[in-house]
Amino acid sequence: MDELPATSVTDLPDDALVLDVREPDEWAAGHAPGAIHIPMGDIPARLDEVPAADETLPVICRSGGRSERTVQWLVQQGFDVANVTGGMRAWSAAGKAMTSESGEEPRVL
């Protein structure tokens, strides 16, 4: 199998448009400010909500496993996407901007 496209959090601006495929509780606790939230299991039913970006769309989860599976599937559907290596754990560890839905200090669940 070909290597899946991937990108590093250090290659992305803090306000990058990213597709976050984590569960709602994970999203609410903390996410990238420019993220769009569609849980992995909802992607097939909500495919029309996946942005058709001019550039490769980064896909992120907590640590990279779910986003890797999502990228694999989206590539088969013809999308230009890349897995964010290390996921939101790497995003947070790099000190990148995060926001939460609760108004509390954003964190990665």
Side-chain angles (χ1 to χ4, degrees), residues 16-109:
L17 173 65
V18 295
L19 175 61
D20 190 321
V21 298
R22 296 175 301 151
E23 293 302 308
D25 60 325
E26 294 174 285
W27 165 265
H31 56 85
I36 293 170
H37 182 230
I38 307 175
M40 183 177 90
D42 294 353
I43 294 282
R46 297 174 60 188
L47 200 54
D48 60 335
E49 294 177 47
V50 175
D54 293 338
E55 316 178 332
T56 302
L57 177 66
V59 181
I60 200 164
C61 66
R62 182 169 43 96
S63 57
R66 284 172 286 178
S67 54
E68 183 176 41
R69 291 195 300 275
T70 303
V71 163
Q72 188 174 12
W73 190 81
L74 285 171
V75 164
Q76 292 171 346
Q77 311 310 309
F79 283 85
D80 182 10
V81 290
N83 187 32
V84 178
T85 308
M88 284 303 298
R89 285 182 168 168
W91 184 278
S92 177
K96 298 185 85 56
M98 288 176 56
T99 187
S100 73
E101 297 298 295
S102 63
E104 294 176 13
E105 187 68 28
R107 66 194 202 288
V108 179
L109 286 185

